[in-house]
Amino acid sequence: QVQLVESGGGSVQSGGSLRLACAYSGGTATCMAWFREGPGKEREGVAAWCRDQSTGYDDSVEGRFIISQDNAEKTLYLQMNNLTPEDTAMYFCAAAPGYPGWLLRRRSYDYWGQGTQVTVSS
């Protein structure tokens, strides 16, 4: 089984930055991604990274967030810059065993972490 553990969430002022981390174990995923679930909203894809170096970002975060993966540390990162209150959400790490046709589709991923809370104040 694949285990994912998120960390790095917290409270930050608007315009600030945070870096989320997802430690993974139990296998090597082909693609990994970050999703978020804000107040009154469905879980949505934020950013994805695959071992063929392909990446994908939701339009709302492109240019502000950067996804990366450290194979040696077995950790997926999400660098979040210029945060706004609209970024407030529970952020989840996800892993897929194969190459999904749509990187930010929730159903493309089989394994999920328990989430880390990000709160951005104005």
Side-chain angles (χ1 to χ4, degrees), residues 8-24:
S11 298
V12 64
Q13 295 284 333
S14 181
S17 298
L18 286 172
R19 188 177 73 161
L20 306 183
C22 171
Y24 57 89

Side-chain angles (χ1 to χ4, degrees), residues 11-17 81-87 119-122:
S11 298
V12 64
Q13 295 284 333
S14 181
S17 298
N81 300 314
N82 195 23
L83 288 162
T84 73
E86 287 70 36
D87 296 315
T119 302
V120 184
S121 60
S122 59

Side-chain angles (χ1 to χ4, degrees), residues 23-64:
Y24 57 89
S25 62
T28 302
T30 301
C31 296
M32 300 183 71
W34 289 96
F35 286 73
R36 66 185 179 186
E37 186 173 323
K41 300 175 67 176
E42 297 181 6
R43 189 172 300 185
E44 61 182 6
V46 177
W49 187 97
C50 298
R51 296 198 177 277
D52 65 357
Q53 304 303 311
S54 62
T55 59
Y57 295 91
D58 183 76
D59 290 343
S60 66
V61 306
E62 189 165 8
R64 298 189 298 124

